[in-house]
Amino acid sequence: MFNVGSPVKGKNFIDRVKHIPIFKAYLDANQHVMIKAPRRFGKTSLIKHVFEDNKNYKFIYTDIRRATSLNSLSNQILDKAYAFIGVDNFIYKSKESLIGLLKTIQGIKFGDMAQITLEYIEMDSDDVELFLHALDVVNKIAIKMDINLKFIFDEFQDIFKIADKNILEQLRSAIQHHSNVTYIFLGSIESMMTQIFEDKKSPFFHFTRIMPLGGLDTNELCEYIFDEFNKKNIKFEKKAIRLTITFLDGHPDYSMQVFQSIYFKAIIDKDIIDNDLCIKILKSVIMENRAYLDELIQKTKTKKHLHELLSSIANNDVSKLEAKTLYNAHMSLEDMGLIRNLSRGSYEVVDVFLNVLLKQNNNSVLIGEDIELSFINK
């Protein structure tokens, strides 16, 4: 109950159940999908729930954040692809135990393909060529096994950190011919994922179906919490719970952190869950996330005007920046995943706790009890 720090599974996997039927329909139709949502919004939980808890799909998962270069991403893909057919640690063995690897691949029906991969590695091929070859290997394995493999690219927008912008054209030209692979692209920088998959000029325009993940459904979350508290005979005020959930705006990770703390407080101290307790816990959890929030704030201070604009958005102030500077600053904050465009000229801070911190009079010397949260008493 109220899992924190790891993907949510089983009966605790709430609300996203409304996304599962359409997601599975896409997968069953071998339709490529793009899922975008802010960080810590449950993309990984959704993927693990569908793929790891459901054995109907064969899949390969890659996290681009773990790749330091396009070459290392290719090695990650090749290792997982060959492990899929029983050849573990392919890249390591190709460099440390080549003879042993050659004996292994001679005994499998994919030996010819593996031999080609070894030639790519031995020739020290161009990084892009090796990357596209790695994905071709995935498709060839799927064809020979007569299956449709689901290939997951997590944090796909980070491809630009390890390759230039031409990679999109090169990648699209290769994978559009992959008959037995369905691609799922996950991304937490919504503006960048939108540019990649929804801009008419992008090679990936109309390549996928788009699935944005919003916050958890507040009514469903309320009912889940009421039910769990009633099972434990915990005394609570429904209005206080609803106000807290509304304030958290359905943020999956923050909601679990807050209600886990409330739950422990009620179990240990036998406290009644009322509005005062909820506000106290909210302040405490915000401070527990302070290091992460400060890191976000510090990133805005590395470029001129960004922190000033972010603060003005949080406080609903009109920015005094001139038009061109304002436009560029908005774009930068969107690309950092810190704000989202609601409508023309209207923006909001994505992270609800960051928004709270930016509302304070002096966020550089805050301690927990100083945080002003009286506005949730409505």
Side-chain angles (χ1 to χ4, degrees), residues 64-65 155-163 189 192:
I64 295 182
R65 290 173 301 182
E155 296 297 352
F156 182 70
Q157 75 280 327
D158 284 1
I159 193 77
F160 295 129
K161 293 182 179 180
I162 56 176
I189 308 298
M192 293 182 68

Side-chain angles (χ1 to χ4, degrees), residues 7 10 12 14 256 261 270 315 337:
N12 294 322
I14 59 172
M256 292 304 103
S261 295
K270 310 300 181 183
N315 289 282

Side-chain angles (χ1 to χ4, degrees), residues 146-190:
D146 194 25
I147 60 173
N148 186 280
L149 263 173
K150 313 305 179 186
F151 190 95
I152 304 156
F153 272 121
D154 203 352
E155 296 297 352
F156 182 70
Q157 75 280 327
D158 284 1
I159 193 77
F160 295 129
K161 293 182 179 180
I162 56 176
D164 61 38
K165 291 193 178 295
N166 292 327
I167 193 63
L168 292 184
E169 188 74 51
Q170 295 161 322
L171 178 57
R172 171 64 191 268
S173 66
I175 67 177
Q176 67 184 350
H177 301 295
H178 290 173
S179 58
N180 285 53
V181 181
T182 300
Y183 288 92
I184 297 97
F185 303 90
L186 311 180
S188 61
I189 308 298
E190 295 176 275

